[in-house]
Each structure stands twice: as C-alpha cells, then as structure tokens.
Amino acid sequence: EAYIKVVENDMAKLKALQQRGVKKDTGLMQFSSELCKCFMSSFDEELGAIYFVVLGTFNTLDKKRRNDKSQLSAEYDALCGGYEGDELMKINMDIYRLANKLDPTIWEQYDHDDTHQLADRIQQNINGNLSDLPEEFLAEWSSFLDKHGYDGEDQLFISSPRYQDSPELLLTRLRQNIGTGIKNPADIHHEQVLKRRQVMNQQLENALARRFTRPFRPSRIRQRNEILEHIMWIRNAPKLHFAKVIGVLRGAVLQIEEELIQAKRLTHKGDIFHLDLEEVDKALLDETIDLMQLVRPRKMAHERARKATECPLLIDSRCRILRPDAPNQDDIEEGTILGIAVSPGTATGRVRVMKSPNERFESGEILAATVTSPAWTPLFSGASAVVLQIGGALQHGALCAREYGLPAVSNIDVHNVLKTGMLVEVDGNTGAIKIMD
C-alpha cells in the first residue's frame, strides 16, 4: 500500500507537469529533467525490489525449471508466471475489452490497411460530427487513451509514435484481439494465477510433511511464496513508468515541432527527432540557426541504418560480426533448429515472420520476431507459439509467453532460417523447432 501511494503521488506530479507544459524560458532540457525527477521515488522502490528480490528469486526458479527434467520442471514453469498486479497485463486486458466493445460488423468494414479511416470515424464521433458508433465504446476509447495513451511501439524511444498521437496503432492492436480463437487475456491470466498458487501451496504442504528432516525449508518456501504473490508483479513497472515520462516529453516535442514546421524551419514531421533537446532549445532562442542543415545528413544516415537486415549481438574492434559456434549437427534431427527454451509447451502452426507489431498477423500463427516489447503483447492472444532471435527467460517475449501459456524458443535466426508460411513445430520444453513443411 505504501508503494501504491508513492506511485500515485508521482503520477499526480507527472500529470501536473504535463498540463503546465514546457516553459519558454527554460526549454526542453529543463522540462525533461523535471519529468524524470517526478518518478524518482517510484524508481527507487521498484529498482530496489527488482535488484534485491525479484532477480534472485526468478533466476533460482528459472535454473530449476531448465535443469530439472522431472515433474518438478513443470511446477517451476508454473511458478514463473501468473503474477497479479502486473501493469502490462492490465493494459492487455483493457485492449481486449475495448476491442470487443465494437460490433464485429464494424470491424469487417475495414481492412488491416484501413485503420486510419476508422480512427477518423471515431474522432468524428467524439467531436460530435457523427453519431454512428456506440457511446459505450467511445467512452471506453477515451478512458483508454487517458490511461494508456503513452503506450505504443518502442515506448522508450521518443521518436516512436504512441496511441495518443497515432490512434491507428491502437486500432491495429484492437483488431488483433477480435475474432475466433482469440482468448481473453483476463481468463488466461486467471488460469496462470491459479496454477501458480496451486503449486505454491502444494510445495509448502510437501515441505511441512518433511519438516522434521528439513526444518528450515517451510520457512524458505513461505518467504518465496510471499515474494511470488506480492512482489514479482513489479518487474514491468519501471519500464512502463519511464515510458509515461517519455510519452509526456514526446507530446511537448511534437508541439514544438509543429511550430517549427509552421515557421518553415523544419520540413517534415519527424525531422525534430534528428536533433537533440539542447539543439532544439538553442534554436528556439536563435532564429538564425539552420535546423535542416543539421537534420539532412542525420536523416540520410538513419535511412541507411533502417535498411540493415541484422542486429548483431557481438562486434569486435575490427567491426567483424561474431557468431556462436553452431550446435553439433550429429545430435540434431534433420530439419530441426535448436534454440533456447524460454517457455514450456509444444505447438504446431504456420510461421509469421514480423519486423513490426503493426504488420498483419492471423490467429493461430506462430509469431517469429527478432525481439518483442510491450507493443507486441496483444499479438500473444492469438499466437500459438513464439520464436525470438534475441532474449533470455527475462526478456519481454519470454515473460509474456509464460503469462499466456504459449511455448517459446529464443536464439533462432528468424529472418534467415524461417519464412512466413512455413509449417513448424515449436517445442518450448527442449528449445527445438522442427520444420515440417
């Protein structure tokens, strides 16, 4: 309760700063500093809990999950998920609920590439120019944007769009949460919570039955259970709270960008993100600074970087890409790729290789991506399995796969060895992916 009050207090300070906006005499640098200070109390609490409690507990569970081949492995899989209070899961539940407030016949009117038209229709209903959408949906839409508008793709990058300034992104997430085969995240989460609690209670009962030979084990399990029940959910909080800070800062930057475009000092939307905050502050005080002279070469370099097809894990001093040794093929069945198991279970389905969560994705497909972030989470409701190139057991994709009960494998070169449409079997228990077609 004390922590919740700290967060509420910090949120109130952030809201006040957002309403005040940037002071003309101090600029964006000072504003960003003020925003960061808003959440320092929350960050201290969260990072302390994660560093001193969550990481150690999770690493112990994950080690037992991976190393124990008996029935206990399944028990530790259950203990690695189903944490009540996780803000990220709450967002996903709200997305599902909002998506299903809109009648399926309305969704059928718009293709995957037409979400901007639906976004415009929603805004016209909110403005009172139209009245052809349910009031309940419109109220929930506004409430969602007020609570989670800071969210979006790659929320920690100020240049990345958010739901609040790019509502078509939100509509893409909503579309991924409708139709047959899409489970309610609230139901999935409830099942995972019950499974975790059942294992916790069973392990405590077993320890109590053996307390005469292992007298300290019950107290250790009670302490671990308290951590799993009351602290583990905090793992996503620092990132989401910092994303809120970045979201408010982005809103202020976009306002200034619009002013600079109107003054013909910038050419296109997005140009301002090729400048740093200090440069923008100086330009606001000195109209003789040619901002496009700074932007053009940086924009060209950024476009070249976007064309890269690989994100190397290791590069040496000579800029050579270092790769791990290939596994011993004698131990691997032909047509099988071996990665790292990060979430248990097996599933067979067609692969969908994706570079962005905004791309088309069909229910029942196997999600394959380089890495995932919270913006990808709504896709997990309809996915049958997850394959990643980067990330261990604590990476977002692995955490969400366990929360959704999906098998997941990491350390796979998804863009080179997998193709959209392939039929594969994903084994999250062994880390093996078998190409069947």
Side-chain angles (χ1 to χ4, degrees):
E1 292 182 6
Y3 162 72
I4 298 299
K5 289 180 180 178
V6 169
V7 173
E8 289 175 349
N9 184 51
D10 287 352
M11 281 296 297
K13 290 188 289 185
L14 182 68
K15 194 76 173 177
L17 274 177
Q18 183 178 17
Q19 292 172 347
R20 191 206 72 188
V22 180
K23 290 182 177 179
K24 296 295 184 182
D25 56 335
T26 55
L28 285 169
M29 286 288 289
Q30 178 62 29
F31 187 59
S32 65
S33 177
E34 290 178 285
L35 290 174
C36 289
K37 288 178 181 176
C38 277
F39 267 105
M40 288 310 297
S41 299
S42 298
F43 285 148
D44 285 344
E45 296 279 349
E46 292 155 1
L47 296 178
I50 291 171
Y51 186 80
F52 293 109
V53 180
V54 171
L55 285 178
T57 302
F58 189 88
N59 285 335
T60 299
L61 294 176
D62 185 54
K63 191 177 296 183
K64 291 182 178 180
R65 178 186 71 85
R66 288 185 287 111
N67 295 339
D68 197 317
K69 303 303 180 184
S70 67
Q71 179 62 31
L72 283 176
S73 178
E75 291 186 9
Y76 285 107
D77 280 328
L79 295 177
C80 287
Y83 306 126
E84 280 194 323
D86 189 334
E87 288 189 55
L88 181 57
M89 286 303 296
K90 290 179 180 178
I91 294 175
N92 299 327
M93 293 173 194
D94 287 348
I95 285 177
Y96 180 88
R97 185 169 59 251
L98 177 60
N100 287 274
K101 292 288 185 184
L102 205 56
D103 193 273
T105 57
I106 296 177
W107 286 111
E108 291 169 2
Q109 298 172 28
Y110 300 91
D111 191 48
H112 179 272
D113 300 320
D114 300 331
T115 51
H116 62 284
Q117 297 177 13
L118 180 54
D120 180 64
R121 181 177 172 183
I122 292 170
Q123 191 58 51
Q124 289 198 55
N125 271 264
I126 291 174
N127 293 341
N129 300 324
L130 290 175
S131 58
D132 58 355
L133 292 176
E135 287 293 333
E136 186 180 8
F137 169 79
L138 296 173
E140 190 108 6
W141 171 273
S142 299
S143 174
F144 184 94
L145 287 179
D146 184 57
K147 289 191 295 183
H148 310 306
Y150 69 90
D151 200 7
E153 187 176 352
D154 298 327
Q155 315 97 313
L156 298 187
F157 291 90
I158 193 173
S159 59
S160 295
R162 318 286 153 141
Y163 299 149
Q164 58 198 9
D165 56 65
S166 303
E168 61 275 7
L169 289 179
L170 176 56
L171 288 170
T172 299
R173 304 292 180 273
L174 298 183
R175 178 181 287 278
Q176 293 158 353
N177 277 265
I178 60 170
T180 58
I182 306 296
K183 295 181 179 179
N184 188 337
D187 295 337
I188 298 171
H189 184 59
H190 182 65
E191 292 172 5
Q192 295 296 101
V193 170
L194 291 180
K195 188 184 298 184
R196 172 181 58 79
R197 287 175 175 167
Q198 184 179 12
V199 172
M200 284 167 44
N201 293 334
Q202 186 60 55
Q203 289 191 353
L204 180 57
E205 288 179 14
N206 293 341
L208 289 171
R210 299 183 180 91
R211 64 185 180 277
F212 297 111
T213 55
R214 303 183 69 180
F216 299 110
R217 184 161 175 76
S219 62
R220 285 197 293 266
I221 289 183
R222 284 194 186 95
Q223 184 181 39
R224 183 210 63 188
N225 287 354
E226 287 292 309
I227 292 170
L228 295 179
E229 188 69 25
H230 301 295
I231 301 180
M232 290 295 280
W233 62 269
I234 211 170
R235 63 195 180 185
N236 286 314
K239 182 177 181 179
L240 292 176
H241 291 162
F242 192 62
K244 291 180 181 180
V245 171
I246 299 297
V248 173
L249 181 59
R250 174 180 166 83
V253 169
L254 290 178
Q255 288 182 357
I256 292 174
E257 180 185 55
E258 186 60 32
E259 295 172 8
L260 293 173
I261 290 175
Q262 292 296 325
K264 301 189 183 305
R265 300 183 66 190
L266 291 176
T267 306
H268 300 107
K269 290 185 175 182
D271 283 348
I272 198 169
F273 298 113
H274 296 286
L275 303 167
D276 62 38
L277 297 182
E278 188 175 3
E279 289 170 337
V280 175
D281 284 345
K282 288 180 179 178
L284 292 175
L285 297 174
D286 184 354
E287 295 184 1
T288 64
I289 295 176
D290 186 347
L291 291 177
M292 289 308 298
Q293 187 176 9
L294 296 172
V295 167
R296 288 189 193 98
R298 298 174 185 178
K299 200 170 182 177
M300 291 175 62
H302 179 249
E303 289 301 318
R304 286 197 304 271
R306 288 186 63 186
K307 295 177 182 178
T309 58
E310 185 176 4
C311 179
L313 293 176
L314 283 175
I315 302 177
D316 69 8
S317 59
R318 299 181 185 180
C319 293
R320 295 177 300 188
I321 297 175
L322 304 180
R323 305 180 190 278
D325 294 334
N328 187 351
Q329 295 299 319
D330 295 336
D331 301 330
I332 302 175
E333 184 181 347
E334 185 177 354
T336 298
I337 310 164
L338 195 61
I340 298 173
V342 292
S343 181
T346 59
T348 301
R350 296 285 177 182
V351 171
R352 175 75 67 169
V353 179
M354 303 179 68
K355 293 184 178 180
S356 164
N358 302 319
E359 298 172 12
R360 184 184 295 273
F361 184 79
E362 301 295 335
S363 175
E365 291 182 324
I366 291 173
L367 170 61
T370 302
V371 70
T372 66
S373 65
W376 293 74
T377 310
L379 278 73
F380 285 62
S381 292
S384 58
V386 179
V387 180
L388 303 170
Q389 182 171 330
I390 299 172
L394 281 174
Q395 198 273 333
H396 169 269
L399 290 172
C400 279
R402 289 194 296 274
E403 290 293 343
Y404 279 83
L406 302 177
V409 173
S410 184
N411 202 34
I412 299 294
D413 190 0
V414 295
H415 294 288
N416 289 318
V417 301
L418 297 178
K419 304 295 181 185
T420 294
M422 274 184 173
L423 181 65
V424 304
E425 180 186 67
V426 177
D427 189 334
N429 304 308
T430 64
I433 297 176
K434 185 176 181 179
I435 299 175
M436 305 175 71
D437 179 19

